[in-house]
Amino acid sequence: MAAGKQTDVRRYPGFFPITILCLVMLYAPLIIVMVYSFNDSVSIINWGGVSLRWYDDVFNGIESAKFKEAAWNSLTIAVMAAIASTMIATAAAVGMIRGGSFRGKSLCFGLISLPLMVPEIVTAVATLIFFSAIGFTRGYTSILVAHIVFCIPFAYLPIAARLQGIESVYEQAALDLYATRAQAFWQVLMPLMLPGIISGFLLAFIISLDDFIITNFVKGAGIETLPTAIFGSVKQGIKPNIMALSTLMLLVSIVFVTVSYFVGKSGTKSSR
Amino acid sequence: MAGLTNNGGSKASSNIFGGIRYWLLAPSWVVIGVFLVMPVGIMLVYSFLTKEFRGGVIWEFSIAAYDQFIFDRGLFGDEEPAIEWTYIVIFARSIWQAAIATVLCLLIGFPTAYFIATRPPSSRSAWLFLITVPYWVNLLIRTVSMKFLIRDSGPLNQWLRNLGVIDSPIHLINTDIAVQLGLFYSYLPFMVLPIYASVERYNFTLSEAAWDLYASRWTTLREVLLPAVKPGIIAGCILVFVPSLGAFLAPDLLGGAKNFMIGSLIEEQFKGNAGNWPFGAAASMILLTMVLIVLMFYSRQQSRSEVEGH
């Protein structure tokens, strides 16, 4: 198996340019919006030099009060939804992966991943009808509840993947040394699972922060999150301040995903 | 978390949390059961109720919502029923647009996934990371960015004009192509990841064997590689097709009123002017049924390929 020949068979001419094209297509729109957010011009068509005026506008302009309130709602909902869904997902992952085999296990997995399979718009409609049917006034709480539901699978997947990679000998050893089950969990399993839990928490946080469709349906009148506020503005045309706001949100997402990626990576290395 | 601190007397076995597994799983059952499964059940009930004008329902059994889908009975509902094409066309268009987006994703996603899977192991995760980062950026922001880029006076048209490629701007916004492009852009990473996973597991000595037997590179691709990584390709296609089918943002922001898809139709029943809840619930049920059929087809395919030993 000569190395030169092996690479020859594997390589397909044209696949590398397509990969680059793929990356360009994924990043070009985002980079362009970032660049234009620094445009010192009222029109979004012409380039008027570099400035931070639209960032100033986001924080101090006419719409700033609306954006600040929306940002506060988005952040608090995302934090609470991520905490709640991570707790639920952690318990579920331990039950699924360390609970042995039991009847209905695949059904159980189906239930946990159900929010991923049901189309978002269907979840949105069902949740809206549900809150209306039980006579619950839609607002902050209904958004929070809906977010917890669809964050569960996103938190579950990295946690379960992590737990699968940890051999059960560690808890077993703890039990043999007379640890209680709770001690085995909190002092042995939990620290080993932590990278997965952090990853899951961060992903749930971003998913909640980003959600538009479900929030739009269950929010009710008079409350906005950042995505719904942006959608409302964009409906009247793309304004430069929206690009500045989008750039800020985009950077937050990228920072969180990057942190989640490196936490997950460092975790796998240290356990080996 | 109450279940976790409960260290009651169950015996330690190889699965030490087996005794409290139901306590551990209960929170997820309750939350998803009460706030997702039950709502879908209520939605099914609502789809068989009578509409109240400007939203809501009257508790009276009716199949009007499903009937309205297929038949036009005139403004007062007393005319001879004729086939109503509006909604059928919207559903057909959604399937078509989702299919085109899936094909686009496959054409770009397969070579990308293959290229990444044949990199040295150390650099693969960095490439995958680059592919997945845009997915985590807010879908709304990505769609708005796409709209900004491709609009008539947008950067794309300006550059093409400055380069002398075109004389008048290419009109993309509010066309089918814009929606396809938007869907493609939204879900491309979903295509790359499962194909990557398949190619990574692929045994390249098979390709070498084909090569030694004088198969050309493209014959090897078609006859050896593609059949072997088929499960990944099918998974990728489903992961793109399913969310595209019910997408709302891309058709709404990039397609305009002429390119209505299922998502916009449903949205209009609840947020817009139409205000027909039973009809919106019925449309959602039909969409959900379509998705479940696709997923069932997929899981049958998966179990079959597991039997075959791929």
Side-chain angles (χ1 to χ4, degrees):
Chain A
M1 226 202 287
K5 197 184 166 197
Q6 191 184 8
T7 46
D8 209 22
V9 181
R10 287 178 169 216
R11 250 191 56 211
Y12 283 91
F15 279 21
F16 176 62
I18 293 176
T19 306
I20 297 302
L21 177 72
C22 178
L23 287 175
V24 168
M25 290 181 97
L26 284 173
Y27 284 92
L30 301 179
I31 290 169
I32 281 165
V33 161
M34 276 191 198
V35 169
Y36 272 79
S37 72
F38 295 104
N39 185 5
D40 185 28
S41 162
V42 188
S43 113
I44 57 167
I45 298 168
N46 302 314
W47 181 256
V50 176
S51 103
L52 287 174
R53 64 181 285 195
W54 297 113
Y55 288 88
D56 182 59
D57 188 80
V58 167
F59 290 103
N60 304 312
I62 306 166
E63 292 183 290
S64 65
K66 186 177 94 180
F67 289 146
K68 274 175 192 159
E69 204 193 314
W72 177 250
N73 289 336
S74 274
L75 276 176
T76 52
I77 287 172
V79 168
M80 286 191 283
I83 291 173
S85 59
T86 307
M87 275 163 48
I88 294 168
T90 306
V94 174
M96 285 290 283
I97 288 153
R98 288 296 202 266
S101 58
F102 55 94
R103 274 181 69 187
K105 193 170 182 175
S106 58
L107 187 73
C108 207
F109 180 71
L111 191 68
I112 291 167
S113 46
L114 194 64
L116 287 179
M117 292 190 280
V118 176
E120 253 196 301
I121 191 115
V122 175
T123 306
V125 167
T127 314
L128 166 68
I129 288 178
F130 172 77
F131 282 119
S132 157
I134 62 170
F136 190 90
T137 313
R138 280 173 285 138
Y140 192 90
T141 315
S142 59
I143 301 177
L144 180 59
V145 168
H147 280 216
I148 292 172
V149 174
F150 69 71
C151 284
I152 290 175
F154 285 97
Y156 177 84
L157 292 174
I159 298 172
R162 174 80 192 157
L163 192 53
Q164 246 151 3
I166 304 169
E167 286 177 75
S168 63
V169 290
Y170 299 105
E171 308 116 78
Q172 213 57 59
L175 282 194
D176 290 346
L177 295 167
Y178 301 102
T180 63
R181 189 161 52 197
Q183 283 171 325
F185 175 78
W186 287 109
Q187 291 174 21
V188 178
L189 198 53
M190 186 70 177
L192 288 170
M193 282 170 77
L194 202 59
I197 293 176
I198 293 173
S199 259
F201 173 85
L202 293 175
L203 294 187
F205 178 82
I206 294 176
I207 286 293
S208 165
L209 202 62
D210 283 359
D211 178 72
F212 166 73
I213 295 176
I214 294 172
T215 311
N216 189 36
F217 270 70
V218 300
K219 73 183 176 64
I223 178 163
E224 301 281 356
T225 64
L226 272 180
T228 64
I230 290 178
F231 185 76
S233 287
V234 166
K235 273 288 174 185
Q236 289 134 36
I238 304 173
K239 282 170 284 177
N241 63 345
I242 292 299
M243 284 192 273
L245 184 57
S246 298
T247 304
L248 292 172
M249 288 183 69
L250 199 152
L251 291 176
V252 168
S253 296
I254 290 176
V255 166
F256 268 81
V257 171
T258 311
V259 170
S260 166
Y261 170 75
F262 283 108
V263 167
K265 216 178 167 189
S266 73
T268 35
K269 262 184 205 149
S270 66
S271 79
R272 272 175 194 164
Chain B
M1 282 278 183
L4 295 179
T5 50
N6 163 17
N7 50 12
S10 112
K11 264 195 169 173
S13 63
S14 62
N15 8 342
I16 64 167
F17 298 100
I20 54 166
R21 74 167 79 97
Y22 296 114
W23 287 107
L24 293 168
L25 291 166
S28 58
W29 291 342
V30 170
V31 172
I32 296 176
V34 171
F35 296 110
L36 185 59
V37 179
M38 207 161 85
V40 169
I42 297 175
M43 184 176 80
L44 178 63
V45 172
Y46 264 50
S47 71
F48 287 106
L49 295 178
T50 309
K51 75 165 172 182
E52 175 146 43
F53 290 97
R54 280 183 280 144
V57 286
I58 299 165
W59 281 84
E60 224 168 78
F61 177 82
S62 153
I63 56 158
Y66 291 95
D67 185 83
Q68 187 188 343
F69 233 98
I70 305 169
F71 297 115
D72 177 11
R73 294 176 192 274
L75 194 54
F76 302 101
D78 49 4
E79 287 168 31
E80 195 62 13
I83 297 282
E84 164 69 67
W85 288 103
T86 319
Y87 306 118
I88 299 171
V89 165
I90 289 175
F91 267 70
R93 182 189 298 129
S94 304
I95 294 172
W96 169 250
Q97 297 284 64
I100 296 281
T102 308
V103 171
L104 283 176
C105 284
L106 185 59
L107 288 178
I108 300 282
F110 179 82
T112 305
Y114 184 91
F115 177 79
I116 295 173
T118 51
R119 290 305 90 201
S122 54
S123 64
R124 280 178 210 164
S125 72
W127 279 100
L128 282 181
F129 178 67
L130 277 179
I131 296 287
T132 42
V133 163
Y135 168 70
W136 297 106
V137 172
N138 196 319
L139 181 59
L140 172 64
I141 290 176
R142 280 188 288 153
T143 312
V144 170
S145 308
M146 183 56 100
K147 183 172 183 167
F148 180 75
L149 177 67
I150 65 172
R151 71 194 202 286
D152 289 357
S153 55
L156 183 69
N157 273 314
Q158 280 181 8
W159 287 337
L160 287 178
R161 208 160 0 166
N162 291 345
L163 289 172
V165 181
I166 51 169
D167 292 327
S168 56
I170 314 171
H171 181 68
L172 282 173
I173 218 80
N174 294 350
T175 65
D176 276 6
I177 298 167
V179 179
Q180 289 151 8
L181 210 59
L183 292 174
F184 160 79
Y185 182 47
S186 303
Y187 304 117
L188 180 58
F190 289 174
M191 182 65 85
V192 176
L193 297 178
I195 296 180
Y196 164 79
S198 281
V199 178
E200 203 197 19
R201 279 196 306 262
Y202 172 68
N203 184 354
F204 276 97
T205 51
L206 290 175
S207 285
E208 279 158 34
W211 182 256
D212 289 342
L213 294 168
Y214 301 103
S216 75
R217 211 177 246 127
W218 298 105
T219 314
T220 309
L221 177 79
R222 204 173 57 236
E223 304 289 338
V224 182
L225 177 65
L226 283 183
V229 299
K230 202 172 111 193
I233 294 177
I234 293 175
C237 288
I238 284 173
L239 285 177
V240 173
F241 184 78
V242 163
S244 298
L245 200 57
F248 168 71
L249 284 171
D252 190 71
L253 289 172
L254 300 169
K258 266 193 283 175
N259 294 287
F260 237 53
M261 279 174 59
I262 304 174
S264 319
L265 176 69
I266 294 173
E267 202 253 9
E268 203 178 47
Q269 309 307 320
F270 295 94
K271 307 289 293 181
N273 302 323
N276 186 341
W277 282 31
F279 184 66
S284 303
M285 280 314 299
I286 295 170
L287 173 62
L288 183 60
T289 311
M290 284 160 60
V291 167
L292 289 182
I293 289 171
V294 174
L295 291 177
M296 264 162 58
F297 160 79
Y298 171 62
S299 75
R300 268 183 57 188
Q301 197 83 27
Q302 283 294 88
S303 48
R304 195 179 305 159
S305 64
E306 264 165 37
V307 171
E308 283 170 13
H310 281 309

